[in-house]
Amino acid sequence: EKIDIKNYLTDFFEELSFDLRKQNVELNFQFNPQGDYDVLVDRDKFKRVLANIINNSLKYMDKDKKELTISMHSTNENVEISIADNGPGIPDKSIPFIFNQFYRAEQSRNKLTGGSGLGLSIAKMIIEEHNGVIKLESTLQVGTKITIILPHYTCVPKEAHHEKNINY
């Protein structure tokens, strides 16, 4: 459905902020209030993308002061959402594989952190279903930033604006 992703994210982070405070995580959400943030998304699937990315960040954060910074901006064609953490970062050699199913950047942590290694591959699949792109930048000891680029509502093909009928 067509939603203003700024309002959606504001509500999402408001719900999340209580849990993050308990984990000593500072959340910063930055955006231009005048931006046009209308996109076509499945609310539940997009929530899963956000949860997978944020859970991954929280799982590996190793600093005393944990930070998540979400920034957003829009152009005539796209809405770009970045989620950055101040965790340990990901080695350069692992970055090309980070969205692959079952890939874990640091195998020695598997037993400590749990997880299936599916979170980011699911996030990528969902974003691509939304005609979007997801990418990752990371610097060791500094942190990781995941950027989601979704087509602006006005740039989505008209046939995608209609709900699909599914017959069983």
Side-chain angles (χ1 to χ4, degrees):
E1 67 186 279
K2 177 184 176 182
I3 65 169
D4 180 325
I5 200 79
K6 172 181 50 70
N7 295 338
Y8 177 90
L9 290 175
T10 300
D11 292 344
F12 179 83
F13 293 127
E14 210 169 273
E15 284 178 33
L16 190 65
S17 64
F18 179 72
D19 288 335
L20 292 178
R21 274 196 298 273
K22 285 196 292 190
Q23 297 178 53
N24 196 29
V25 178
E26 181 182 317
L27 176 68
N28 302 300
F29 184 29
Q30 306 161 348
F31 56 88
N32 175 351
Q34 277 72 50
D36 184 352
Y37 300 105
D38 288 342
V39 293
L40 191 66
V41 298
D42 177 308
R43 288 172 179 268
D44 293 332
K45 285 185 177 181
F46 197 73
K47 188 174 190 173
R48 184 165 185 193
V49 167
L50 295 171
N52 287 357
I53 292 169
I54 290 168
N55 287 337
N56 237 37
S57 287
L58 297 176
K59 190 187 300 185
Y60 296 108
M61 271 196 209
D62 57 352
K63 311 266 187 338
D64 289 335
K65 185 179 179 197
K66 300 171 179 162
E67 296 175 11
L68 271 178
T69 302
I70 291 82
S71 54
M72 187 168 60
H73 73 274
S74 67
T75 66
N76 291 335
E77 294 86 29
N78 298 310
V79 175
E80 191 169 303
I81 304 158
S82 294
I83 302 169
D85 66 42
N86 68 334
I90 298 167
D92 286 345
K93 67 179 176 25
S94 295
I95 291 175
F97 309 104
I98 214 72
F99 292 106
N100 293 358
Q101 288 186 357
F102 308 114
Y103 186 79
R104 304 288 295 265
E106 198 169 318
Q107 298 300 323
S108 64
R109 289 193 174 165
N110 284 2
K111 291 181 186 80
L112 294 173
T113 58
S116 62
L118 287 171
L120 292 180
S121 67
I122 290 169
K124 181 177 194 232
M125 184 183 72
I126 292 170
I127 294 303
E128 288 176 348
E129 284 176 356
H130 284 77
N131 299 308
V133 173
I134 187 168
K135 55 188 181 178
L136 180 141
E137 301 165 51
S138 192
T139 305
L140 286 175
Q141 309 307 316
V142 176
T144 299
K145 177 168 87 171
I146 293 185
T147 302
I148 297 167
I149 302 167
L150 293 172
H152 197 275
Y153 180 77
T154 56
C155 297
V156 175
K158 292 289 181 229
E159 60 271 10
H161 289 204
H162 303 291
E163 291 183 21
K164 294 181 175 52
N165 291 323
I166 300 172
N167 297 317
Y168 294 98

